[in-house]
Amino acid sequence: MRPDLRPLLLDPARTARLTGLADLDPALVADDFAAPGVAAELARADVLFTFWGCPPLTPEVLAGAPRLRAVVHAAGSVRGFVTDACWERGIALSSAADANALPVAEYALAMILLANKRALAARDRYRAVRGQVSWQHEYREAGNFRRAVGIVGASRTGRRVIALLAPHDMELLVHDPYLSAEDARALGVEPVGLDELCERCDVVSLHAPALPETRHLIDERRLGLMPDGATLVNTARGALVDTGALTRELTGGRLNAVLDVTEPEILPPGSPLYDLDNVVLTPHIAGSLGGELHRMADSALDELERLARGRPFAHPVVRERFAHSA
C-alpha cells in the first residue's frame, strides 16, 4: 500500500491486532515490490495485507513469492493489482468491498433525497431573495413521495442503496443485465431496460462497474431521455458517463447532477462543472473517508483471523464474478 496511508488505515489498536494475528513488521510498508528490503520479505510471505496503492501482482512478482497463498485487501476493488497470474497460482483473495459499499450507499441516499426535495436549489434561491416567497408554490414539484428512482447496477453498493431507500415511499427501478427476475422480486424493485429507466426516473443513480462494455453507458442519447429537471448521481466511476454530453446538458440547465467521480478523475480547472449551480461536485469522497477507513480495516482483520484459524473468507473475490465486478 502507499506508506502514507498505513496510519490512516491502522490506528494503534488495529496495528496491535494485526501484529497479534500475524508475524510481520508493521513498519515495512511496500508500494514497490522491487524496493530494497522488500524482496526478502516477499520471499517468505504467506499473506499480503494490501490497501490503496498496491502494485500489480505480476508473474514476476509472484515468482519471487513462492509461499504466497492469500491476499487480504483492506479496500474495495482489487482490479488495480490482481492479474491472471493470481488465479493461475490459486491464490485466495478477499476484499473489504462490502464494508466500503456502505458509505457510498449512504452518500447516494442522502443526495437522492436532497435532489428530490430540491434542497440545494431552495438554498440558493433563499440566499438570493433573502426573504419570504411562496415556497409551496415555487417548489410544487419537489418532494420524495412516490418519486421514481433508478438504480443502474444491482452491485453491492446498488443493493445497499436499494435497502436504504426501501423505507421511503418511492418507486424503485433497476437496470442490471445480470439481475434475475427472482432477485428483483426479493429486492422489491422493478427491473427495466436502461432506456426506460432513464425516461421514467426523477433520479438516476449509477452503481455499475467500469468495464469496456459500460464505458459511456450514459451517453448523449440516454441523457436526452431523462426528464427535464431530473438528477444524475454518479458515485461509481466517471467512465460510465460521457462527460462532454453531460456538461452540455448541465450547462443548458435542463438536468442536475451529483458527481463524486468524473472522467478525468480530476477535471481540468476550466471545467464549467466546478461553477454550475445545478451540479454538486465532490472529490471522490463517497467511499470510505476518515474514520470510515477503520471499518474496512476491521473487515480485513476479521478475514485474516479467519485465515489464521483455517476458516474460509467471508468476503472472497472469486474468478467467476471478477469479470463483471468493480
Side-chain angles (χ1 to χ4, degrees):
M1 66 184 74
R2 277 174 38 200
D4 64 299
L5 295 176
R6 187 195 67 80
L8 302 181
L9 176 71
L10 297 165
D11 60 7
R14 289 171 176 82
T15 299
R17 185 183 175 198
L18 177 60
T19 56
L21 288 170
D23 174 17
L24 83 161
D25 175 5
L28 179 63
V29 183
D31 59 358
D32 179 359
F33 290 125
V38 174
E41 295 302 319
L42 189 63
R44 71 186 193 95
D46 298 297
V47 183
L48 292 181
F49 189 91
T50 63
F51 192 52
W52 297 327
C54 178
L57 296 174
T58 63
E60 294 75 20
V61 169
L62 294 181
R67 294 176 47 174
L68 186 67
R69 61 189 180 96
V71 176
V72 176
H73 190 51
S77 177
V78 299
R79 283 190 169 275
F81 64 90
V82 166
T83 67
D84 287 343
C86 296
W87 306 117
E88 292 161 7
R89 270 274 296 271
I91 292 172
L93 301 168
S94 169
S95 91
D98 280 350
N100 191 52
L102 179 55
V104 180
E106 290 171 340
Y107 177 105
L109 170 69
M111 293 302 179
I112 289 167
L113 296 177
L114 288 172
N116 280 332
K117 197 72 172 181
R118 298 293 188 259
L120 296 177
R123 178 205 62 183
D124 294 341
R125 176 83 170 116
Y126 194 30
R127 180 182 293 164
V129 300
R130 297 184 180 271
Q132 182 62 38
V133 299
S134 179
W135 301 107
Q136 290 293 345
H137 288 286
E138 189 151 342
Y139 293 98
R140 64 180 62 192
E141 300 300 323
N144 284 288
F145 180 61
R146 299 293 169 86
R147 287 290 186 179
V149 176
I151 305 298
V152 180
S155 58
R156 288 183 183 90
T157 305
R159 290 173 187 242
R160 288 265 196 175
V161 174
I162 291 167
L164 291 175
L165 286 170
H168 302 274
D169 201 347
M170 293 178 173
E171 181 183 4
L172 298 181
L173 284 65
V174 174
H175 170 73
D176 189 319
Y178 302 100
L179 180 67
S180 68
E182 182 180 359
D183 282 346
R185 284 193 297 272
L187 290 170
V189 299
E190 179 184 354
V192 296
L194 185 54
D195 285 2
E196 182 179 350
L197 183 146
C198 290
E199 288 175 334
R200 290 175 54 187
C201 289
D202 303 290
V203 178
V204 174
S205 190
L206 305 182
H207 304 287
L211 305 170
E213 57 267 35
T214 61
R215 178 170 175 76
H216 290 184
L217 193 67
I218 305 300
D219 56 11
E220 183 175 20
R221 185 181 67 81
R222 286 187 171 131
L223 288 168
L225 295 175
M226 294 175 65
D228 292 353
T231 300
L232 178 70
V233 179
N234 191 3
T235 57
R237 289 291 184 265
L240 298 178
V241 181
D242 181 338
T243 301
L246 178 62
T247 301
R248 289 190 291 273
E249 286 280 13
L250 296 172
T251 302
R254 196 181 73 81
L255 298 178
N256 308 297
V258 176
L259 305 174
D260 188 55
V261 290
T262 56
E263 186 186 42
E265 177 71 9
I266 299 177
L267 292 169
S271 171
L273 298 184
Y274 286 113
D275 301 310
L276 292 174
D277 292 337
N278 55 338
V279 177
V280 176
L281 187 63
T282 54
H284 206 154
I285 62 166
S288 297
L289 182 72
E292 293 166 338
L293 298 182
H294 295 157
R295 182 191 286 119
M296 294 197 296
D298 288 343
S299 175
L301 290 167
D302 289 346
E303 292 288 70
L304 187 60
E305 184 170 351
R306 289 186 183 91
L307 188 66
R309 294 184 176 184
R311 295 165 55 194
F313 285 142
H315 305 290
V317 179
V318 296
R319 190 172 194 174
E320 292 74 20
R321 296 199 296 268
F322 186 71
H324 305 295
S325 60

